[in-house]
Amino acid sequence: MLKVAIYGKGGIGKSTVTSNLAAAFATMGKRVIQIGCDPKADSTINLLEGKPLRPVMNYMREEDEEPEKLEDISKEGFGGVLCIETGGPTPGLGCAGRGIIATFQLLEDLRLFETYKPDVVLYDVLGDVVCGGFAAPIREGYAEKVLIVTSGEKMALYAANNISSAVRNFEDRSYARVFGIVLNHRNVENEVQKVQAFSKESGIPIVGEIPRSDEIIRYEDQGQTVIEGNSESEISGRFYDLAKKLLESEE
């Protein structure tokens, strides 16, 4: 089973990368689970025709009980991707990271992986600060590989450095390791050179590069990934290439 956590600064395009990867894997015949680990709970929306999924934490808060079956907190999206959102606490109250921990424990109780038997599991994780809760996917044995999404913007690279440092703190415990950097272009000055310099300094390879594209925006406005909208496009090819690299690394 391929298990990947995608981290990066808030707003850097993690959900776009994650959902397009999920769609790519699905069209390659893989059984995929995508788990959104962000209080905004919008990771899977473009796999679900633009319709938001009720997050796990909302279910528990509104129903005042834990769900009894997976169908209560999940929904199949494009290509049969099983979508789950952890959500978070009521805004201004509680720790969002604890929502991730509580959700993961619930998914274990519901025997998610034994029941669904996925080939690929993707975790879309808010990564400005890798606190205990947001680090759960990499330190509890859920994910084995980490992708760091960044642009050439200063704060994006700052967050990428924090994330790589946090992951390395766990490497000697057989937890997840950084697989590579995904350069999600923002067309800032000397962007490629800046990310290449970070790659060289950190020793983390650039494994994917997504050009800035109106095509992605156009399909997201329709509640779709670019893979669903036009699987033959050049941008879709970038996501397929990254998906293949990840699969080959497992072999």
Side-chain angles (χ1 to χ4, degrees), residues 187-204:
N187 294 348
V188 300
E189 189 175 2
N190 299 321
E191 184 162 40
V192 173
Q193 293 90 329
K194 289 174 181 176
V195 177
Q196 285 177 339
F198 171 70
S199 170
K200 184 177 180 180
E201 184 178 332
S202 63
I204 304 171

Side-chain angles (χ1 to χ4, degrees), residues 38-41 55 57-58 61 86-90 93 95-96 99:
D38 188 321
K40 297 196 306 298
M57 295 305 292
N58 286 44
R61 191 162 53 244
T86 66
T90 302
L93 300 173
C95 168

Side-chain angles (χ1 to χ4, degrees), residues 98-232:
R98 289 184 64 85
I100 297 173
I101 295 170
T103 297
F104 281 17
Q105 183 57 59
L106 175 64
L107 295 177
E108 283 192 14
D109 294 342
L110 292 174
R111 298 177 61 79
L112 168 66
F113 303 118
E114 294 88 344
T115 302
Y116 197 74
K117 295 182 173 61
D119 301 304
V120 180
V121 184
L122 302 174
Y123 302 90
D124 177 5
V125 193
L126 180 65
D128 292 75
V129 179
V130 188
C131 73
F134 293 112
I138 58 176
R139 65 179 173 82
E140 302 292 352
Y142 293 102
E144 294 173 348
K145 292 180 172 65
V146 173
L147 286 176
I148 299 176
V149 181
T150 188
S151 66
E153 296 162 301
K154 182 178 179 181
M155 295 311 295
L157 288 168
Y158 181 77
N161 186 60
N162 283 345
I163 294 159
S164 64
S165 298
V167 176
R168 284 191 168 127
N169 287 337
F170 298 116
E171 280 190 348
D172 60 349
R173 307 181 207 179
S174 299
Y175 291 161
R177 295 176 180 270
V178 178
F179 179 73
I181 295 165
V182 177
L183 168 50
N184 193 29
H185 282 264
R186 292 298 179 86
N187 294 348
V188 300
E189 189 175 2
N190 299 321
E191 184 162 40
V192 173
Q193 293 90 329
K194 289 174 181 176
V195 177
Q196 285 177 339
F198 171 70
S199 170
K200 184 177 180 180
E201 184 178 332
S202 63
I204 304 171
I206 298 172
V207 296
E209 195 169 337
I210 312 300
R212 193 158 181 81
S213 168
D214 290 339
E215 190 175 16
I216 291 176
I217 298 168
R218 185 167 69 252
Y219 286 118
E220 287 189 346
D221 284 344
Q222 299 172 33
Q224 297 180 333
T225 60
V226 69
I227 295 286
E228 180 180 1
N230 182 4
S231 63
E232 302 297 322

